[in-house]
Amino acid sequence: ISPNYVVYYALSYLVQFIMIANMFTVQLAMEAAIIRIVYCDIVMQKKENMFDALKFGFRKLGHLVLNKLVFWAIIFGIYMLGIVIFMFGLCTCICSTAGTGLAYTGSGVISIIFVVAIQAVFILGFIAVMAYFPIRLIFGKHVIVAENGDIGKSISRSWKLTKGRFWHTAVTLLLGCILIYILPSIIS
């Protein structure tokens, strides 16, 4: 192994570590500051300067980091459960047709089509669940900043805020993503 490769990979890991550390510190504090400024301006009808809002964001950093970790733990848990269920269904399909020789008969082809259809329905359901939970939990950091909540309150309050407004929230987030991420890449 060449020393250049060692230096390259060491620097690569260092940059990744810095990016992750930034994501869990400065970025969260800045998002909290922006939420605080908008909340103070619109709801409380008072002006908040950026420095005070940033200090507030860093004071709330522990709750914000915990909220982000719980959010991603829930998403990761759902993702892993979906993979396990999908693999179980796939193994069941393979084992039920491979050992019996049914794969080469008419009934075997029908059973394979049936299992593939079930798997397709499962995949669509999995995608729906993977979209549902992030949308229902999206306002956690806003609750921490605007309502001075902790992690438990942020999850329950976010759930209440989106209750009955799932599609409105989902479409709003989709349009926001289009405006922020997709439209600029099309224009440039």
Side-chain angles (χ1 to χ4, degrees):
I1 297 177
S2 167
N4 291 337
Y5 288 120
V6 173
V7 170
Y8 170 77
Y9 284 113
L11 288 176
S12 174
Y13 287 126
L14 179 65
V15 168
Q16 288 176 3
F17 174 76
I18 291 170
M19 289 174 63
I20 291 171
N22 177 54
M23 183 177 70
F24 279 98
T25 55
V26 176
Q27 184 178 351
L28 278 177
M30 288 174 51
E31 288 173 0
I34 292 168
I35 292 168
R36 176 75 174 183
I37 290 170
V38 171
Y39 180 78
C40 286
D41 188 37
I42 293 174
V43 176
M44 299 173 66
Q45 300 292 317
K46 71 173 192 164
K47 297 293 178 195
E48 177 96 2
N49 69 31
M50 187 64 181
F51 183 72
D52 290 339
L54 201 52
K55 283 192 329 190
F56 178 83
F58 276 107
R59 280 196 312 267
K60 289 292 185 181
L61 195 59
H63 290 296
L64 293 167
V65 168
L66 189 58
N67 179 65
K68 189 170 201 140
L69 289 174
V70 168
F71 176 86
W72 285 110
I74 290 170
I75 300 306
F76 182 73
I78 293 167
Y79 180 75
M80 293 309 292
L81 181 65
I83 288 175
V84 168
I85 293 171
F86 178 76
M87 294 307 291
F88 177 76
L90 193 60
C91 289
T92 304
C93 169
I94 291 170
C95 292
S96 67
T97 56
T100 61
L102 287 176
Y104 304 109
T105 65
S107 62
V109 171
I110 291 172
S111 68
I112 290 173
I113 291 172
F114 178 72
V115 172
V116 168
I118 289 174
Q119 290 292 337
V121 168
F122 170 76
I123 290 171
L124 292 175
F126 178 70
I127 292 169
V129 168
M130 287 299 291
Y132 179 76
F133 281 95
I135 290 170
R136 291 299 301 266
L137 298 173
I138 195 76
F139 294 113
K141 65 181 158 196
H142 300 85
V143 171
I144 289 172
V145 172
E147 298 178 9
N148 204 21
D150 59 1
I151 184 66
K153 183 180 179 185
S154 70
I155 291 172
S156 64
R157 182 79 171 122
S158 180
W159 203 264
K160 286 177 188 172
L161 286 172
T162 56
K163 184 177 182 181
R165 301 185 54 79
F166 173 80
W167 289 110
H168 177 77
T169 306
V171 169
T172 303
L173 288 171
L174 180 65
L175 290 175
C177 288
I178 289 171
L179 288 173
I180 292 171
Y181 300 111
I182 298 173
L183 192 62
S185 65
I186 291 173
I187 291 173
S188 65

